[in-house]
């Protein structure tokens, strides 16, 4: 049986987070809920108006190009892409056709951990074709009864970067990883929010299948309306199945555009694919070509590119002794990565530790960070940056846990309170009397009391029933309101029973 392998290329639109729109002085405010307030004669396409290039948007695309190791054009120009749609007042979109700002470059994605945890993970470089600059269209809002459509031009003229990859992607998972990594990079560069659910980043998937070993690519289908990472992944999985079935049945794939029907989990045909010549591209006569390196010193832009998520992961692995899979999500948001790194340096400052003990402390911090803290953030629908808890206090809590000064159950409760109130952990622990009792002297009274109250259990232990010890430990824990250190209690009970 012939095996069919998928080939995938992505086209991704990114709303840039500039102060003003692409060609006029209107505010670029994605949060604005009142329709048609950020509008002017330019973005409403009144006759005779002239566009002016937003340099902040140009700089953002150049920064992205530099971050992705791409080539910055020596000369770049804008073109008109002509089509009619009610949300496009000019009847054309100012875009870039044959001289984009950025060409080439690559983005490296992570695929799997190697067997040996110390080895670098398996990665893949996805080559980029180009990144160009264009303007967004307005938004159509359909009334619930389906009778009316309202148009909101607040988004018309908002700067969009369009990034196009080479067809280097070979699976749904790779495509998802690409989109996630790109979002992280955009956030590190602080040029876009890139929240797919809000339409700030919009992916189109191009996908074809070819029989294994064939030198030619198959006919591709384009999938639109993907507004989450999950939709990117699932629509590709669906399309691979659909196309495989057609090919196995001797059929042909139509060159078409399909939409993703999220509730049904299927792609549906929308129209046959338009070609470039359908748009009658021609150079925008109202704008001069631009020379990026004359507008901006590229060296200075390069310096403004921070350490990117991929490099940060590798550094965290090396410096913190964590695995790739562990540091992976830590670096998705720049604020999270900075916070975690601060926690570790605070933790190091509390107490010098041997390499091994330091790794244990870091692992402890990581576990609280990655499970408990993440849980709090998810439960309260907030972000780490909205919490009042500072990294110093978080590190302090971890230090208390590491030193067995509080139990893990108490630590979780303290963390939940710190997260909301921003009070330091020592304050909360003292106020609630949660410090763990680890000194045997302070526990002996409670232990004696429990043994005296359970003579039969003590007898059973002496007869060799080791299992009953856990019952006694539990009773002591109850007696001390959970503050006793269970390991110490266990040792003390054993000792006490040996002696009496
Ligand atoms: P079109 O002219 O149809 O828009 P392009 O050549 O501009 O096609 O490519 C658009 C996107 O489709 C790019 O991301 C590219 O990598 C991808 N692509 C091109 N050919 C194929 C193919 N045969 N299968 C899958 N993806 C493809
Ligand atoms: Zn305007
Ligand atoms: Mg194209």
């Amino acid at each position: 049986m012939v095996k069919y392998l998928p080939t995938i290329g992505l086209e991704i639109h990114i709303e840039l987070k500039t102060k003003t729109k692409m060609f006029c002085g209107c505010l670029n405010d994605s949060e604005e809920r009142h329709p048609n307030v950020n509008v002017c004669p330019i973005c409403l396409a009144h006759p005779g108006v002239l566009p002016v290039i937003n340099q902040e948007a140009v700089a953002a695309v150049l920064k992205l190009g530099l971050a992705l190791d791409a080539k910055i054009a020596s000369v770049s120009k804008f073109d008109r892409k002509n089509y009619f749609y009610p949300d496009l007042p000019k009847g054309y979109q100012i875009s870039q056709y044959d001289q984009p700002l950025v060409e080439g470059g690559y983005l490296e994605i992570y695929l799997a951990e190697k067997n040996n945890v110390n080895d670098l993970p398996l990665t893949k470089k996805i080559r980029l074709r180009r990144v160009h600059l264009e303007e967004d269209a307005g938004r159509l809002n359909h009334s619930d009864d389906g009778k009316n459509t309202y148009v909101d031009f607040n988004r018309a003229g908002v700067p969009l970067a369009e990034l196009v990859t080479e067809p280097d992607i070979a699976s749904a998972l790779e495509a998802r990883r690409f989109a996630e990594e790109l979002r992280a990079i955009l956030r590190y560069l602080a040029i876009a929010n890139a929240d797919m659910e809000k339409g700030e980043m919009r992916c189109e998937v191009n996908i074809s299948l070819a029989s294994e070993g064939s030198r030619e690519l198959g006919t591709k289908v384009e999938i639109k309306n993907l507004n989450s990472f999950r939709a990117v992944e699932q629509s590709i999985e669906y399309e691979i199945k659909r196309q495989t079935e057609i090919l196995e049945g001797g059929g042909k794939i139509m060159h078409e555009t399909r939409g993703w029907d999220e509730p049904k989990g299927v792609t549906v045909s929308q129209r046959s694919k338009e070609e470039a010549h359908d748009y009658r591209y021609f150079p925008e006569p109202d704008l001069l070509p631009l020379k990026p390196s004359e507008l901006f010193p590229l060296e200075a832009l390069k310096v403004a590119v921070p350490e990117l998520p991929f490099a940060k992961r590798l550094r965290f692995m090396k410096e913190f002794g964590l695995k790739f899979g562990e540091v992976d999500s830590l670096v998705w948001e720049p604020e999270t990565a900075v916070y975690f790194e601060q926690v570790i340096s605070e933790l190091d400052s509390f107490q010098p530790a041997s390499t091994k003990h330091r790794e244990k402390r870091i692992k402890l911090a990581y576990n609280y960070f990655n499970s408990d803290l993440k849980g709090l953030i998810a439960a309260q629908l907030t972000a780490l940056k909205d919490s009042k808890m500072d990294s110093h206090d978080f590190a302090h809590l971890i230090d208390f846990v590491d030193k067995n000064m509080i139990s893990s159950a108490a630590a979780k409760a303290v963390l939940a309170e710190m997260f909301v109130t921003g009070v330091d952990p020592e304050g909360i622990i003292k106020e609630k009397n949660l410090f763990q009792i680890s000194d045997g002297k302070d526990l002996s009274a409670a232990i004696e009391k429990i043994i005296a109250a359970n003579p039969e259990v003590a007898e059973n232990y002496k007869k060799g029933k080791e299992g009953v010890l856990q019952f006694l430990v539990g009773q002591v824990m109850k007696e001390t309101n959970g503050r006793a250190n269970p390991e110490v209690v266990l040792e003390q009970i054993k000792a006490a029973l040996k002696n009496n």
Side-chain angles (χ1 to χ4, degrees):
M1 189 115 146
V2 198
K3 192 171 178 213
Y4 293 99
L5 299 177
T7 295
I8 298 160
L10 299 175
E11 294 172 279
I12 304 184
H13 285 91
I14 303 143
E15 273 182 9
L16 298 173
K17 210 172 55 176
T18 53
K19 193 161 174 298
T20 55
K21 290 189 182 180
M22 189 59 231
F23 299 114
C24 63
C26 291
L27 284 184
N28 168 15
D29 181 1
S30 59
E31 305 283 313
E32 180 56 66
R33 287 293 156 261
H34 302 90
N36 298 308
V37 290
N38 291 325
V39 292
C40 76
I42 296 176
C43 54
L44 290 177
H46 289 199
V49 296
L50 289 172
V52 178
I53 296 171
N54 180 341
Q55 300 210 6
E56 194 190 353
V58 175
V61 170
L62 297 180
K63 244 166 118 183
L64 180 59
L66 292 170
L68 299 171
D69 236 355
K71 194 172 137 272
I72 306 296
S74 50
V75 184
S76 178
K77 72 168 166 64
F78 286 94
D79 299 277
R80 288 188 182 180
K81 181 180 182 179
N82 299 282
Y83 67 99
F84 175 79
Y85 206 68
D87 61 10
L88 188 75
K90 291 200 283 283
Y92 60 84
Q93 176 193 35
I94 303 181
S95 178
Q96 299 197 285
Y97 184 51
D98 53 351
Q99 287 177 267
L101 277 169
V102 166
E103 277 183 284
Y106 68 89
L107 191 154
E108 192 166 10
I109 56 170
Y110 155 69
L111 294 178
E113 200 99 51
K114 286 274 179 64
N115 291 335
N116 184 346
V117 291
N118 295 321
D119 286 345
L120 292 179
L122 190 66
T123 66
K124 178 171 175 179
K125 286 180 177 172
I126 308 295
R127 290 169 304 149
L128 307 177
R129 193 173 278 181
R130 57 188 277 161
V131 186
H132 71 249
L133 197 49
E134 58 187 35
E135 56 179 336
D136 210 345
R139 232 184 246 276
L140 296 181
N141 296 313
H142 306 283
S143 66
D144 289 339
D145 60 11
K147 285 192 182 141
N148 297 303
T149 295
Y150 303 93
V151 57
D152 174 8
F153 287 113
N154 284 340
R155 199 179 66 179
V158 160
L160 277 187
E162 179 176 345
L163 177 150
V164 183
T165 76
E166 292 294 341
D168 283 352
I169 298 169
S171 72
L173 184 66
E174 285 183 21
R176 183 192 177 122
R177 291 292 316 189
F178 183 95
E180 286 173 343
E181 195 67 12
L182 178 64
R183 182 181 73 172
I185 291 171
L186 293 165
R187 290 181 175 179
Y188 274 63
L189 296 173
I191 60 175
N193 269 337
D195 191 330
M196 286 193 74
E197 277 80 3
K198 289 187 185 156
E200 294 164 342
M201 180 163 118
R202 313 196 277 269
C203 286
E204 283 153 31
V205 166
N206 294 271
I207 173 167
S208 64
L209 259 56
S211 50
E212 194 169 17
S214 138
R215 257 179 278 146
E216 271 172 40
L217 293 179
T219 303
K220 74 181 164 73
V221 163
E222 186 171 336
I223 320 172
K224 287 188 189 279
N225 308 343
L226 302 168
N227 41 31
S228 68
F229 293 122
R230 224 177 42 140
V232 170
E233 197 174 359
Q234 292 182 341
S235 66
I236 292 174
E237 274 162 8
Y238 175 84
E239 199 56 27
I240 291 173
K241 258 200 357 239
R242 187 187 72 88
Q243 293 186 23
T244 304
E245 277 163 23
I246 293 176
L247 293 170
E248 281 177 348
K252 273 198 167 150
I253 304 298
M254 281 241 304
H255 185 42
E256 63 179 349
T257 300
R258 299 178 73 86
W260 173 240
D261 184 331
E262 174 96 46
K264 295 206 182 100
V266 299
T267 63
V268 279
S269 180
Q270 289 186 329
R271 57 172 187 265
S272 65
K273 173 80 175 120
E274 61 289 316
E275 303 293 336
H277 61 251
D278 294 331
Y279 291 118
R280 301 286 188 271
Y281 279 102
F282 65 85
E284 166 60 60
D286 291 337
L287 292 171
L288 288 170
L290 52 88
K291 295 184 175 160
S293 62
E294 284 178 14
L295 269 179
F296 301 97
L298 296 185
E299 279 313 311
L301 282 181
K302 215 177 225 166
V303 173
V305 173
E307 180 186 42
L308 294 173
F310 215 94
K312 208 182 273 293
R313 287 192 191 94
L314 298 182
R315 185 168 62 78
F316 278 13
M317 286 170 73
K318 214 166 115 208
E319 291 179 9
F320 302 156
L322 295 168
K323 288 189 228 161
F324 196 95
E326 292 170 326
V327 294
D328 185 21
S329 64
L330 277 185
V331 308
W332 283 350
E333 307 288 343
E335 298 86 10
T336 311
V338 166
Y339 193 98
F340 185 75
E341 198 166 1
Q342 277 171 357
V343 167
I344 303 307
S345 85
E346 302 273 3
L347 203 53
D348 285 341
S349 75
F350 290 141
Q351 179 194 317
S354 66
T355 311
K356 226 173 141 202
H357 187 199
R358 178 172 180 264
E359 278 187 10
K360 180 181 157 252
R361 284 160 67 84
I362 293 176
K363 193 74 192 250
L364 194 63
Y366 170 76
N367 288 337
Y368 274 84
F369 198 87
N370 196 51
S371 61
D372 301 274
L373 187 54
K374 236 192 206 164
L376 288 170
I377 291 170
Q380 319 221 7
L381 298 174
T382 55
L384 181 57
K385 59 178 185 290
D386 300 322
S387 165
K388 293 209 183 86
M389 177 179 73
D390 71 32
S391 55
H392 175 86
D393 288 335
F394 183 80
H396 216 153
L397 178 68
I398 300 304
D399 190 49
F400 286 142
V401 178
D402 177 51
K403 291 180 175 148
N404 275 326
M405 289 167 73
I406 58 170
S407 69
S408 59
K412 286 180 208 307
V414 173
L415 180 64
E417 187 160 339
M418 288 166 68
F419 181 77
V420 178
T421 62
V423 174
D424 66 287
E426 202 168 355
I428 300 172
I429 295 169
K430 278 194 177 139
E431 188 207 304
K432 301 203 159 159
N433 205 11
L434 289 172
F435 271 121
Q436 180 156 272
I437 314 172
S438 294
D439 191 331
K441 285 200 303 292
D442 302 328
L443 291 169
S444 52
I447 288 171
E448 273 164 31
K449 181 174 164 196
I450 294 302
I451 291 177
N454 296 283
E456 284 157 41
V457 182
E459 263 328 295
N460 282 339
Y461 172 71
K462 285 182 197 161
K463 283 186 199 142
K465 285 197 178 165
E466 297 255 340
V468 301
L469 277 181
Q470 278 317 316
F471 168 78
L472 294 175
V473 172
Q475 294 299 304
V476 176
M477 295 305 291
K478 229 186 230 168
E479 179 69 20
T480 58
N481 293 321
R483 292 176 58 212
N485 179 337
E487 283 164 35
V488 178
V489 172
L490 183 68
E491 288 316 309
Q492 294 259 274
I493 292 178
K494 278 188 191 166
L497 290 177
K498 210 181 261 168
N499 297 334
N500 80 359

